[in-house]
Amino acid sequence: SLPVGTPAYDWGLNTDDVIIAVDGEQIMSRNALDFYLSQKKVGNKIKVSVFRHNRLREYEVTLGKTPASGSEIVPVENPTEEQKRLYLAYMGESLK
């Protein structure tokens, strides 16, 4: 779930929302979203287009500081096929 108090939560985004575009730019993966957002600054406004329960919704969001999660995703030395599949599904790219 989205952490309470984050900009995404405060502006009405939901855990099950599928982000398809930001400022009209198609978003194909988590990495693409992260890269796009890395070009922005705290306080910038963006338009987020999402599908929620098969309905298109658009939100204007003011970017805030991302809280540290205290965790990170790192590849294991010899990933199983399941770990490779999960990594691809979550990160949008294959394990190297």
Side-chain angles (χ1 to χ4, degrees):
S1 65
L2 291 174
V4 174
T6 61
Y9 180 89
D10 291 343
W11 288 98
L13 294 179
N14 196 321
T15 301
D16 296 326
D17 290 348
V18 178
I19 298 172
I20 59 169
V22 176
D23 291 336
E25 298 289 327
Q26 185 177 16
I27 299 297
M28 298 294 288
S29 69
R30 173 67 189 255
N31 285 344
L33 177 61
D34 289 343
F35 178 76
Y36 187 85
L37 293 177
S38 74
Q39 310 297 310
K40 303 294 182 182
K41 296 180 181 174
V42 172
N44 286 161
K45 291 184 184 229
I46 60 171
K47 184 171 81 173
V48 180
S49 303
V50 302
F51 273 115
R52 179 183 295 168
H53 306 296
N54 297 320
R55 294 192 63 150
L56 179 64
R57 298 172 189 250
E58 294 186 335
Y59 299 91
E60 185 175 89
V61 177
T62 303
L63 296 178
K65 185 176 178 185
T66 303
S69 67
S71 61
E72 62 182 312
I73 296 175
V74 294
V76 295
E77 190 169 319
N78 294 307
T80 65
E81 290 303 312
E82 177 72 2
Q83 288 170 323
K84 290 177 186 177
R85 185 187 66 73
L86 291 170
Y87 187 87
L88 176 62
Y90 184 74
M91 300 298 288
E93 64 182 36
S94 296
L95 280 169
K96 304 211 181 341

